[in-house]
Amino acid sequence: MGINRRRFIKYGCLASVGAAVGCFWGPALTFAAAARVPWRNKAMLNDTAKCIGCLSCVVACKKANKLSSPYEYSPETNAKTWTTVKLKKLGKDRVFKVKLQCMHCTTPSCVNICPTGAARKTEGGIVIIDQNICVGCKNCVVACPFHIPGFSEETGTVRKCEFCRGRLEEGFIPACAEACPAGAIQYGDREELLAQAAKRAGELIDLGFNRAQVYGVNQLDGLKVLYILPELPENLGLPPSPRPANEDSILKWAMGILAAGFVAAAPLREIFRERDEGKPVKSASVPGEEVKSHDI
């Protein structure tokens, strides 16, 4: 079946108009999204070789996020400490300071494993845990390959770094980057930071740090928190090839809960079995009676 000349011209004009509209609205929509979420392509770069371990970033983080005990140090991140600096000693005289916080992964395990949807990625790539939805199941605590989220006994929820999303919305940079006196924490365009990091890693290699490298480029499809490492990641407490939790993990959690239910119900099954077989059921022990152990 063919089409006549008039229809050909008509469809050709429609196609041209559609292409023109697409060319106009495509960049316009992209520009609008970038204007609405200016931190979409932003990242943070931690230069481990520059960190002096002053903990200014830790204090600034706690104050900015209204966390308790701003001057209390914890070597691990938790519900009250969203960023920290760990000391890693290598050999006799080499001590590195490694800043840790949520990495805001492109493929975050906490989001994949969360049963309620409380853990989610925002439009700008920041990973948050919605405190109004979180039920405190701790799945994300276990699943995170960086061991970052922490459960709060006070709120009954899991809490962690949110990349200072509130400050970004007001036009500021993350508090930790602003507070660093040594310039070890930088915030900016991710591609520019990666280029800068590659150059810096080369300088460290020239200085004798033969294992220097950039971390976070490809891990979990890319991290919003990048590192310049003078040593191998595993020597500094970072997994070299972290694996994301996925839907299979959710199935494993469900099977684990189901198995726990069967274990808890085992005594009841024995009681009903004895009743079905016409056997007497043992009564509860009373004070003074000898209680004997038995297998379930």
Side-chain angles (χ1 to χ4, degrees):
M1 296 178 64
I3 59 174
N4 58 34
R5 183 182 177 188
R6 182 178 297 177
R7 287 186 178 179
F8 178 81
I9 295 174
K10 177 182 177 181
Y11 294 153
C13 290
L14 289 174
S16 298
V17 171
V21 170
C23 290
F24 175 78
W25 284 106
L29 290 174
T30 302
F31 178 79
R36 184 173 63 253
V37 189
W39 56 88
R40 176 188 297 275
N41 299 317
K42 301 295 185 180
M44 183 185 297
L45 177 62
N46 295 320
D47 190 337
T48 303
K50 283 186 178 180
C51 180
I52 59 177
C54 66
L55 302 181
S56 295
C57 56
V58 178
V59 176
C61 171
K62 289 192 174 189
K63 289 184 175 180
N65 293 286
K66 297 180 173 57
L67 303 177
S68 61
S69 306
Y71 299 102
E72 181 179 313
Y73 172 73
S74 170
E76 308 290 341
T77 57
N78 52 51
K80 296 181 179 179
T81 302
W82 292 2
T83 188
T84 191
V85 177
K86 298 191 72 170
L87 302 181
K88 289 291 182 180
K89 185 176 182 180
L90 297 179
K92 296 181 179 180
D93 55 357
R94 291 198 301 168
V95 178
F96 296 107
K97 298 89 176 177
V98 185
K99 179 178 180 288
L100 294 175
Q101 68 283 305
C102 176
M103 305 297 179
H104 299 281
C105 319
T106 298
T107 304
S109 291
C110 57
V111 173
N112 290 344
I113 204 72
C114 181
T116 65
R120 60 184 175 85
K121 283 179 63 176
T122 63
E123 191 176 2
I126 297 174
V127 180
I128 68 168
I129 297 179
D130 192 327
Q131 297 297 291
N132 295 319
I133 303 176
C134 179
V135 295
C137 68
K138 303 180 187 177
N139 284 6
C140 58
V141 176
V142 178
C144 177
F146 302 103
H147 311 292
I148 297 299
F151 177 75
S152 171
E153 296 288 349
E154 296 178 1
T155 64
T157 58
V158 174
R159 309 185 72 194
K160 68 170 190 65
C161 157
E162 294 189 345
F163 211 73
C164 279
R165 187 171 58 136
R167 287 175 58 88
L168 296 181
E169 291 173 349
E170 295 176 358
F172 300 102
I173 69 173
C176 58
E178 184 179 71
C180 181
I185 310 170
Q186 296 187 50
Y187 173 81
D189 182 82
R190 190 174 190 272
E191 293 303 318
E192 292 179 2
L193 290 179
L194 284 174
Q196 179 181 332
K199 181 180 179 181
R200 170 66 172 157
E203 293 174 353
L204 289 175
I205 291 175
D206 292 339
L207 291 173
F209 296 96
N210 298 325
R211 297 173 173 176
Q213 58 188 273
V214 181
Y215 184 87
V217 182
N218 300 314
Q219 281 81 4
L220 296 174
D221 297 322
L223 308 179
K224 211 170 180 67
V225 177
L226 306 167
Y227 285 86
I228 300 169
L229 300 179
E231 255 291 346
L232 295 177
E234 54 266 39
N235 291 340
L236 298 177
L238 294 170
S241 302
R243 297 179 60 186
N246 52 36
E247 288 75 13
D248 292 337
S249 299
I250 296 178
L251 179 60
K252 291 178 182 178
W253 277 103
M255 293 303 294
I257 295 173
L258 185 62
F262 276 118
V263 172
L268 295 177
R269 293 203 305 272
E270 287 298 319
I271 292 175
F272 286 113
R273 183 181 301 158
E274 289 181 350
R275 284 181 175 175
D276 291 340
E277 295 175 356
K279 296 180 181 179
V281 179
K282 293 181 180 180
S283 61
S285 60
V286 296
E289 269 190 345
E290 183 181 357
V291 180
K292 297 181 179 180
S293 62
H294 62 279
D295 295 332
I296 295 178

